[in-house]
Every structure is written in structure tokens, then in C-alpha cells.
Amino acid sequence: MGIPVRQAVRVGAYLVKQKLARRTKFALTLELEPLFACNLKCAGCGKIQHPANVLKQRMPVEQAIAAVEECGAPVVSIAGGEPLMHPEIEVIVEELIKRKKFVYLCTNALLLPRKIDRFRPSPYFAWAVHIDGLEERHDASVCKKGVFAQAVDNIKDVQARGFRVTTNSTFFTSDTPQSVIEVLDYLNDDLKVDQMMLSPAYAYDKAPDQEHFMGVAETRELFSKVFADGRRNRWRFNHSPLFLDFLAGEVDFRCTAWAIPSYSLYGWQRPCYLMNDGYAATYRELLEETDWSRYGRGNDPRCANCMAHCGYEPTAVLATMGSLRESIRALRG
């Protein structure tokens, strides 16, 4: 099974509501960044370039909740930076759970031992831990030794406490089909996380490492080999089947970045959290005053090699909901 049934049903009902209201653009998942500060400096991260005064800022709880309510997304991914560095992160999570939002808290897991007692398991909450490979590969990715071992130990601890745990793995040109298979096997079979997400690395302009971002052809070749021989069917992914088809080059989609908007200390980021063409004061302004036709592969050269979740998973979800066959396939996993 991929996306949890409770979440799939809720999102499905939400999509039906948007269709009945004849809305053509709306939020499926909000990328909420209540801070930019982090306790790691990963080579592929484009969020570490903010000035010191910005890195010290923390979004007030009321502002974070207002952004979620404004866009209405049923799913909220809390990112950063490292969200566990926010002094009131548990309050933000609690308030969102009260509103029955599905919350994924993205973390490198290093601060979990210090913060875990502030959280309680819920069917509306999951940890989303970044694991970019097995020990050597992951530690190289985050530019610090020992992080993989700490993350694994902390994942096992929160699992024992009854929390749902997902992972997010970013892959670069330095990854091979075998290295990807090995980490997915480990996460799925040994660590037994609930679901996994896959992220082809996006070429952030200000990321320190500019040499290892994959192009579209490389991404498709990698994942078509990773998914071969029936392996894909036994892994537990937090993706729609059509998005996995997209990664492997079996289907193509247009970008619908408006469906996974990014809200941070600066406001609503145009056009997505991977690119920065300015900020809107409101979600409505983001939708109505952004020229979405300018973006996506074939329209903006910065989008040429992008196959990121934030742009293409919403398209896959919409295509799934528009097809009885694909809807049944998604529920079966």
C-alpha cells in the first residue's frame, strides 16, 4: 500500500469538492517552512544561503496556522531548515492535527531524542526523515560523519513509541541503480519504515555542489532500472503509481506547481519552493498573479531538468482521480 487509505479518501473528497466548485487551481499539499536554520550543511541544499539575520527568525505559530487555513490544503509538509529547531514546532503540529490536516514533519532526525517527548502519535502525523543512501553515501551527502547511524537509531526509537515514520531520499548522478535499490531495500525491509519518497535532485542555483544534479534522461534511465524486475511492487512508496511511472519515463506530465505551494518567512514563493521569482502576500495572489504558463519544461530553462515531486506529483494525483482504472490502481498500491 502507498498513500494511507485515510489520507487517500480525504484527498479524494477534497478533489471532488474542488471539481464541484469548478476550481481549476488549488492547493493539495502546503510546503510550510517556519524557519530556514539547520544543524547540517548539506552539499545539495539551496536553503543554506540565507543571511544570518534571516536564519535567526522563527515563524510565529499563528502565522503558520493562518497560511495553512488560507490555502486549505489537506496535507502539510513542514520543512526548513530543520523544523525541530523551532521552539514551538510541537504547537504548530498539534494545531494542525486538531484541524485534521495530514502532517509530515521533515527532519534529519538528529534532534529527535531532545524533542520526541513533546509529540504524540496520531494517524494525522508522520515523521519524514531524510535518508539519502546507506551509511557512507548518506554521511557524504550531509557532509558529516555519523549522521546515518544516529538517524537510524532515532527512527527505531520513535517507531517503538508508536509513531509513523516515512523517509525522503534524494538521488544524484553519483547514485547507481544498485545503490538506490540497496537503500530502498534497507528502508523497506530492515528499517521497516511506513512509506518512502523519492526525489531526483534539483539544481539549486546556490547549492555548493553543482556537479551531480541529474537531467531528465538520466532520471528516467535510473528509475526505469531501479523499478525493473518487479521490485517496485514490493516497496512501500508514499507516491501515486502514476508519479512513479513518470519518474521511470513511462508517462509525461506538465508541471502544476500551484498545487504544492511553498510558504516561508518571506511569504508565498513563486513559482515553487525550488525556484525564487519573488513572493506573494497571499495564496490567492500567488494563484492569480503568477504567469504559470512561463514555467515547466519547455517554457523556462531552469525547469529543463526538473522532475520534482512539487511540480509533478499533483499532476499525477489529478490524472489518477480522473481515471477509474488509475484510482483503483492507486488504492491497491
Side-chain angles (χ1 to χ4, degrees), residues 32 34-35 37 78-87 89 105-107 115:
L32 178 65
L35 79 172
I78 305 179
E82 171 51 58
L84 289 179
M85 293 177 66
H86 193 293
I89 188 60
L105 198 157
C106 304
T107 178
K115 297 295 184 76

Side-chain angles (χ1 to χ4, degrees), residues 27-42:
L28 277 174
T29 298
L30 171 61
E31 293 278 356
L32 178 65
E33 295 179 308
L35 79 172
F36 293 125
C38 190
N39 52 346
L40 290 175
K41 295 182 179 179
C42 304

Side-chain angles (χ1 to χ4, degrees), residues 19-326:
K19 185 174 183 179
L20 291 174
R22 298 184 178 180
R23 296 189 184 100
T24 58
K25 291 184 174 63
F26 46 84
L28 277 174
T29 298
L30 171 61
E31 293 278 356
L32 178 65
E33 295 179 308
L35 79 172
F36 293 125
C38 190
N39 52 346
L40 290 175
K41 295 182 179 179
C42 304
C45 181
K47 299 292 183 177
I48 60 177
Q49 78 278 12
H50 295 285
N53 65 310
V54 174
L55 293 177
K56 293 177 181 178
Q57 295 178 31
R58 306 292 183 262
M59 185 181 294
V61 173
E62 297 77 11
Q63 183 179 345
I65 302 305
V68 175
E69 293 185 331
E70 178 187 354
C71 74
V75 182
V76 181
S77 175
I78 305 179
E82 171 51 58
L84 289 179
M85 293 177 66
H86 193 293
E88 296 184 284
I89 188 60
E90 72 279 3
V91 180
I92 295 175
V93 169
E94 182 180 356
E95 289 299 319
L96 294 179
I97 290 174
K98 286 180 182 177
R99 290 161 172 79
K100 294 187 177 182
K101 301 294 183 180
F102 293 94
V103 181
Y104 291 83
L105 198 157
C106 304
T107 178
N108 55 43
L110 299 185
L111 297 177
L112 277 173
R114 290 165 48 185
K115 297 295 184 76
I116 191 61
D117 288 337
R118 301 184 184 185
F119 296 86
R120 296 291 180 268
S122 167
Y124 293 96
F125 178 72
W127 300 102
V129 182
H130 295 277
I131 299 290
D132 291 339
L134 296 180
E135 186 164 16
E136 183 178 353
R137 172 70 184 85
H138 181 72
D139 287 353
S141 176
V142 301
C143 304
K144 187 175 181 179
K145 290 184 178 181
V147 172
F148 178 85
Q150 291 180 61
V152 167
D153 286 345
N154 294 340
I155 286 173
K156 291 178 179 178
D157 177 62
V158 300
Q159 287 175 323
R161 294 169 181 256
F163 286 94
R164 183 165 168 260
V165 178
T166 67
T167 54
N168 189 359
S169 301
T170 303
F171 298 108
F172 298 81
T173 56
S174 52
D175 289 294
T176 66
Q178 187 57 37
S179 70
V180 177
I181 290 168
E182 288 173 356
V183 69
L184 294 179
D185 278 344
Y186 175 77
L187 296 172
N188 192 86
D189 302 335
D190 298 319
L191 200 53
K192 299 184 186 305
V193 300
D194 292 275
Q195 274 89 31
M196 303 176 292
M197 288 185 62
L198 308 173
S199 298
Y202 176 81
Y204 281 103
D205 289 341
K206 296 185 179 180
D209 181 2
Q210 289 290 321
E211 299 179 3
H212 296 103
F213 296 108
M214 291 189 291
V216 171
E218 292 170 302
T219 298
R220 289 171 173 166
E221 181 180 6
L222 175 66
F223 287 110
S224 65
K225 292 178 179 178
V226 168
F227 294 157
D229 301 322
R231 282 183 294 266
R232 167 179 156 177
N233 295 328
R234 64 181 183 81
W235 288 322
R236 296 182 298 276
F237 287 119
N238 195 17
H239 290 295
S240 64
L242 276 177
F243 180 73
L244 298 177
D245 291 347
F246 168 75
L247 289 181
E250 297 174 16
V251 66
D252 201 11
F253 291 124
R254 63 186 179 87
C255 175
T256 50
W258 42 262
I260 302 188
S262 174
Y263 183 78
S264 70
L265 294 164
Y266 291 123
W268 298 91
Q269 187 167 331
R270 289 191 175 100
C272 64
Y273 86 97
L274 296 170
M275 292 168 58
N276 184 358
D277 283 355
Y279 295 86
T282 66
Y283 180 58
R284 179 177 292 277
E285 179 186 330
L286 177 74
L287 288 186
E288 296 179 354
E289 298 186 20
T290 302
D291 184 359
W292 298 102
S293 65
R294 292 175 46 203
Y295 300 104
R297 281 186 276 118
N299 298 318
D300 188 315
R302 295 171 297 175
C303 304
N305 291 318
C306 181
M307 295 184 72
H309 165 83
C310 66
Y312 296 98
E313 180 79 85
T315 328
V317 170
L318 293 170
T320 297
M321 294 302 298
S323 164
L324 178 60
R325 175 181 174 273
E326 292 299 339

